[in-house]
Amino acid sequence: MEVIIRPTEEAAAKLTAKIIADAINDKPEFKLGLATGATMEAVYAELSALNKANKVDFSQVRTWNLDEYVGLAPEHDQSYRYYMNKNLFNNVNIDKRNTHLPDGLAINEELEAAVYDESIDEAGGIDLWLVGIGKSGHIGFNDPGTSLASRTHVAYLTNTTYEQNKIYFNPPESMPRRAFTAGVGTVLDAKKVVQLITGERKADIAAAAIEGPITSMISSTALQMHPDTVVILDEAAAAKLKLRDFYNEVFMNDPKWEAYR
Ligand code: GLP
């Protein structure tokens, strides 16, 4: 696991977007895993700007998102399909037919989940999966107790996650308690994982996720077992990391990061 700390949230998001854009430029038929949440808005704004400036081409890119609320239609303004269209897909030259999210209205949930994993496998796997982290330490909606070998499934959300996300709903109590999520195992299958963590409110969970023991109580810790994961944080989120100085030394001296400093 590589850890990069940037001074500000903006710098962290820009570095994340550059890693993604460079990877797409190396392989135009890119299979990209995506995430939602407030943290990712700056990344999608930067990718949209790079696309507008002709610095990255999404025409052959195919995407799979981590999750979607059960019961929300794509037009619902809190659905993750709506979020993705608004923050990225509407702003870049991607073919929307190449963008995948679980169908929140699927009648057969088990089938929907199985077909989602199959569609990733049929495409040859995800080249890079961008993930955030929830207050509960989740990636996707893999809340505490979820198997670290899980595949895409419907999850019942914990109170921590309900409290974290219901503020976006009007009324708050209308937030669904269940959601489709790619499993921890689904994410671990990606060739590369890039995790973005910003803000003071994430400092405790970032330290536990990056430097704590691997446990299904914090699904993000499973990324420690992934052979190619880069975690990018801003100073505020990195405040409680023990090896901060070491991570900074590596980033400033390792030639592989030269173009990103
Ligand atoms: C939701 C998503 C996660 C995301 C988390 C954090 O719970 N399912 O994938 O990482 O929100 O969101 P934020 O960036 O708003 O803190």
Side-chain angles (χ1 to χ4, degrees), residues 34-41 66-69 80 83 130-135 138-143 157 161 164-165 168 179-181 196 198 201-202:
L34 294 169
T36 51
T39 310
M40 298 304 160
E41 287 176 20
L66 281 172
D67 39 25
E68 181 61 283
Y69 289 109
Y80 286 160
Y83 169 106
L130 171 66
V131 304
I133 192 169
K135 269 181 102 177
H138 66 206
I139 50 173
F141 272 129
N142 294 289
D143 271 338
L157 306 175
T161 297
Q164 175 197 277
N165 288 1
Y168 300 115
F180 282 98
T181 180
L196 176 63
T198 57
R201 72 192 171 104
K202 297 277 177 73

Side-chain angles (χ1 to χ4, degrees), residues 69 133-147 153-167 172 175-179 181 205 216-219:
Y69 289 109
I133 192 169
K135 269 181 102 177
S136 71
H138 66 206
I139 50 173
F141 272 129
N142 294 289
D143 271 338
T146 309
S147 160
H153 62 283
V154 169
Y156 192 92
L157 306 175
T158 59
N159 283 338
T160 309
T161 297
Y162 182 60
E163 295 301 325
Q164 175 197 277
N165 288 1
K166 78 174 188 192
I167 52 168
M175 176 180 147
R177 280 307 294 250
R178 297 165 68 245
T181 180
I205 199 65
S216 63
M217 294 303 286
I218 300 175
S219 64

Side-chain angles (χ1 to χ4, degrees), residues 11-260:
K14 277 200 168 170
L15 173 61
T16 305
K18 182 167 164 53
I19 290 173
I20 295 169
D22 286 352
I24 294 172
N25 288 334
D26 279 349
K27 182 185 177 190
E29 287 179 18
F30 205 73
K31 267 84 76 181
L32 180 61
L34 294 169
T36 51
T39 310
M40 298 304 160
E41 287 176 20
V43 178
Y44 297 145
E46 178 67 10
L47 284 173
S48 302
L50 289 172
N51 182 246
K52 211 170 171 192
N54 260 324
K55 290 188 175 146
V56 62
D57 175 17
F58 281 86
S59 62
Q60 297 178 72
V61 174
R62 298 165 71 183
T63 68
W64 281 262
N65 262 79
L66 281 172
D67 39 25
E68 181 61 283
Y69 289 109
V70 167
L72 295 196
E75 304 75 36
H76 191 289
D77 68 3
Q78 290 307 320
S79 77
Y80 286 160
R81 163 57 76 180
Y82 185 94
Y83 169 106
M84 288 310 305
N85 286 347
K86 179 170 158 232
N87 288 292
L88 185 66
F89 301 153
N90 287 347
N91 315 326
V92 297
N93 67 331
I94 200 162
D95 182 341
K96 284 222 185 92
R97 288 170 302 184
N98 290 336
T99 66
H100 305 82
L101 285 93
D103 176 2
L105 300 180
I107 291 164
N108 187 334
E109 294 172 357
E110 269 180 37
L111 183 66
E112 176 66 13
V115 165
Y116 200 66
D117 277 337
E118 267 170 41
S119 72
I120 293 172
D121 292 345
E122 275 164 23
I126 300 287
D127 291 303
L128 181 159
W129 210 318
L130 171 66
V131 304
I133 192 169
K135 269 181 102 177
S136 71
H138 66 206
I139 50 173
F141 272 129
N142 294 289
D143 271 338
T146 309
S147 160
L148 300 185
S150 53
R151 313 304 306 178
T152 300
H153 62 283
V154 169
Y156 192 92
L157 306 175
T158 59
N159 283 338
T160 309
T161 297
Y162 182 60
E163 295 301 325
Q164 175 197 277
N165 288 1
K166 78 174 188 192
I167 52 168
Y168 300 115
F169 285 79
N170 185 17
E173 296 69 38
S174 65
M175 176 180 147
R177 280 307 294 250
R178 297 165 68 245
F180 282 98
T181 180
V184 182
T186 316
V187 176
L188 290 179
D189 282 350
K191 294 181 185 82
K192 186 181 184 77
V193 178
V194 175
Q195 183 175 42
L196 176 63
I197 311 178
T198 57
E200 199 187 337
R201 72 192 171 104
K202 297 277 177 73
D204 284 314
I205 199 65
I210 296 165
E211 295 179 338
I214 296 170
T215 168
S216 63
M217 294 303 286
I218 300 175
S219 64
S220 181
T221 59
L223 297 177
Q224 294 176 26
M225 296 189 297
H226 189 278
D228 187 4
T229 286
V230 183
V231 188
I232 299 161
L233 308 100
D234 64 356
E235 288 277 8
K240 303 213 166 148
L241 294 178
K242 292 194 190 82
L243 296 184
R244 254 192 358 250
D245 293 347
F246 174 68
Y247 305 138
N248 285 331
E249 190 182 327
V250 174
F251 183 65
M252 292 317 288
N253 292 292
D254 192 327
K256 73 181 277 196
W257 294 116
E258 200 174 331
Y260 295 89

